[in-house]
Amino acid sequence: RGGNSLDALPPGARIGTGSPRRAAQLRAAGRQLQIVPVRGNVGTRLRKLADGQVDALVLAMAGLSRLGLLDADTAPLDPSLLMPAPAQGVLAVECRADDPATAAQLKTLDHPPTRAAATAERGFLAALGAGCTTPAGALAELAAEPGTEPALRLSGLIAAPDGSAVIRAQTTGAASDADALGRRLAHILLQYGGAALLDHTPHGATDPRSHPHPGDSGVPSHPVRRPQFSLPTATTKDGN
């Protein structure tokens, strides 16, 4: 409302979201934004915007697109500003474990790059022992080189709910080892201050310094206040 980007909003602008992850990252952006909790479906939230209860809303772009509600007043938020939730935007079909015929048919719909990304991100969340209300994000991207095994670049973060601290790191590994890759990144973040932000200690995590991995990078020794974002922007998954 009154602009088509986050930069266009004035200091103190009211942004509506029902996501603790989004709220924490927006607070950490250092733009003096006011976070207004909102609930309800897309129509209900858009009415709050039209009524002036908020100056902007953060909504899943994929949902707006499916509803035909993308217009000049919408703008995507880069993952460097707002990292998505683990496996956000991934579409899945379930069937019974004792139904191999249906499982074989569904296998033809499988998209291996998306499966690898989702597996890494879900492994990250599982190792955190976290749920959908935890201010944590993850984004896996396939980095395939001709003639080599596909690799995944996985970025993750844990944030304080009030945005006062954000810990983020990145690691790279084989796509075939996606779950272990996600769990390793979670252990790194927990060891370097993430456990304190989540108010629990890591279970079964080993000190990453005693088991270094050549793909690990960006590990801070303490929470980073008002962090600088430097994550990749490209993703093949639907939604933000």
Side-chain angles (χ1 to χ4, degrees):
R1 193 164 65 90
N4 60 1
S5 72
L6 191 63
D7 290 334
L9 295 174
R14 300 161 299 165
I15 297 187
T17 178
S19 164
R21 170 186 53 84
R22 290 170 174 165
Q25 292 184 79
L26 288 169
R27 291 183 177 115
R31 301 171 187 262
Q32 299 178 332
L33 301 172
Q34 297 183 49
I35 305 302
V36 179
V38 293
R39 294 283 185 258
N41 58 27
V42 172
T44 298
R45 299 184 187 208
L46 289 175
R47 282 194 294 273
K48 292 180 183 293
L49 178 65
D51 293 342
Q53 298 181 43
V54 294
D55 299 305
L57 290 168
V58 180
L59 300 169
M61 192 169 180
L64 292 175
S65 177
R66 284 193 292 269
L67 292 171
L69 295 175
L70 292 178
D71 55 35
D73 289 329
T74 62
L77 295 174
D78 193 275
S80 64
L81 174 66
L82 202 66
M83 190 178 294
Q88 181 173 347
V90 174
L91 302 179
V93 181
E94 294 182 349
C95 72
R96 298 192 314 273
D98 61 353
D99 188 351
T102 300
Q105 290 181 317
L106 293 178
K107 191 174 182 180
T108 62
L109 302 175
D110 193 44
H111 186 245
T114 299
R115 173 177 287 275
T119 299
E121 294 172 15
R122 286 168 61 88
F124 172 82
L125 188 65
L128 291 183
C132 61
T133 61
T134 302
L139 177 63
E141 299 173 288
L142 196 66
E145 295 291 338
T148 64
E149 181 181 0
L152 277 179
R153 180 174 58 247
L154 177 63
S155 303
L157 68 79
I158 301 172
D162 63 0
S164 61
V166 178
I167 300 177
R168 59 179 67 237
Q170 186 179 97
T171 189
T172 303
S176 59
D177 201 26
D179 180 71
L181 185 71
R183 293 177 182 274
R184 182 171 69 245
L185 184 64
H187 291 167
I188 290 171
L189 289 175
L190 289 172
Q191 287 285 342
Y192 283 95
L197 296 185
L198 295 179
D199 196 26
H200 73 266
T201 56
H203 299 288
T206 57
D207 188 340
R209 289 169 294 185
S210 63
H211 299 278
H213 186 276
D216 299 340
S217 65
V219 181
S221 59
H222 54 79
V224 179
R225 189 173 299 273
R226 301 302 181 218
Q228 297 296 316
F229 298 90
S230 59
L231 296 179
T233 60
T235 176
T236 60
K237 296 198 302 181
D238 186 17
N240 187 31

